[in-house]
Amino acid sequence: MLPWFLNNHKQIFDHGVMIDYHSTDRSVEIIREICPTWDIVVSRNADFQADTIDTEVNDIERNIKGWKICLNATEQLIGDYSLMDDNPRQILVPSIFMVDCDRERAVTQDRPLYEQKTDGFIFSDSQQNFLERRSRSLHNIPVHYPANSTVECMAPGRHWNSYNTDKLVTLYYGWCPFDDGQLARKLQIQTQIPLIDRQLNRGFHHITNHETLTYRLENEFIPRSRDISKEIQQYVTKHKDLSNIL
């Protein structure tokens, strides 16, 4: 997922900080190839423990001036970037949940994913759709996870229980493309979830297997999905208009 993530966000932000959770693949090389000036920070956390990761993100953000957002590699911010003006505020950005309804259609790294996969469901169609992938916080003010004084954040994990714009979204590709690489990625996360999170039922959606993942795709997500290319194109148009002048 990294090439799509990096190529999208280097058009929007002048700098990025990639947190390396002790990767053993080519992740670091890919980052250096595509975004050579970005920082790569090796996580101080040995495990993928949700609350300590949130604290680590807070500490990194504290030293970053201007607009910032913390995203997973499966999320791509896109839309009307003019919202990032000089006014101090927090923008809660909803997600469009992308679903691979045509697994036979292969994807390539030389084109954006939004040009290759166009099925999913929209946050505004129902509360169920929104809750499937809650908002991310884009902000130029201090924000503390899992909550601040004004807006409740779903603790832990940096997801927020409401949104205050529909001009920006994150395209969430956690289930798209649903190929061998994505399956391997989703299955390896559980090996880094510590016992304390398991006991507290945190990250329970990461505790899974191949059969369960395939069942969820085919029986939960595909039946709710439709072609949303027109909706996505509205955000892509703004992205192309504004990313050239940022």
Side-chain angles (χ1 to χ4, degrees), residues 5 22 40-41 59 69 72 110 156 187 195:
F5 176 92
H22 313 283
I40 301 173
V41 177
D59 290 344
I69 184 171
N72 295 347
D110 59 349
L187 290 172
L195 178 61

Side-chain angles (χ1 to χ4, degrees), residues 40-203:
I40 301 173
V41 177
V42 178
S43 176
R44 68 195 186 200
N45 293 297
D47 298 309
F48 201 75
Q49 184 173 330
D51 55 353
T52 59
I53 287 173
D54 288 353
T55 301
E56 182 175 27
V57 170
N58 266 146
D59 290 344
I60 292 172
E61 285 191 343
R62 195 172 294 116
N63 297 313
I64 300 174
K65 296 180 180 179
W67 287 96
K68 65 210 82 173
I69 184 171
C70 182
L71 299 172
N72 295 347
T74 52
E75 297 168 304
Q76 295 181 24
L77 181 70
I78 193 167
D80 187 354
Y81 308 123
S82 67
L83 295 181
M84 291 187 279
D85 55 27
D86 294 332
N87 295 314
R89 66 183 186 276
Q90 179 185 35
I91 302 173
L92 299 180
V93 182
S95 298
I96 293 180
F97 196 110
M98 305 303 297
V99 179
D100 195 347
C101 295
D102 183 7
R103 295 174 63 186
E104 299 301 316
R105 184 181 178 187
V107 293
T108 63
Q109 294 284 358
D110 59 349
R111 295 171 57 206
L113 269 179
Y114 56 70
E115 293 181 357
Q116 303 181 70
K117 296 285 186 177
T118 58
D119 292 311
F121 44 85
I122 302 290
F123 60 92
S124 56
D125 284 350
S126 71
Q127 182 71 354
Q128 180 189 18
N129 285 357
F130 168 72
L131 293 176
E132 202 68 65
R133 190 70 180 182
R134 294 167 171 85
S135 299
R136 290 297 193 189
S137 175
L138 174 67
H139 47 274
N140 61 356
I141 59 173
V143 168
H144 299 285
Y145 309 109
N148 70 4
S149 60
T150 58
V151 186
E152 282 299 313
C153 173
M154 181 184 177
R158 308 178 314 282
H159 293 286
W160 300 75
N161 291 330
S162 61
Y163 62 93
N164 57 19
T165 186
D166 60 1
K167 297 180 189 248
L168 276 168
V169 296
T170 60
L171 301 177
Y172 170 60
Y173 290 101
W175 295 82
C176 179
F178 196 80
D179 53 18
D180 291 341
Q182 187 76 284
L183 275 167
R185 178 189 175 278
K186 295 179 82 66
L187 290 172
Q188 65 86 25
I189 296 174
Q190 61 193 310
T191 64
Q192 292 184 276
I193 297 177
L195 178 61
I196 183 64
D197 272 16
R198 293 171 184 258
Q199 291 173 332
L200 294 172
N201 202 33
R202 292 174 178 169

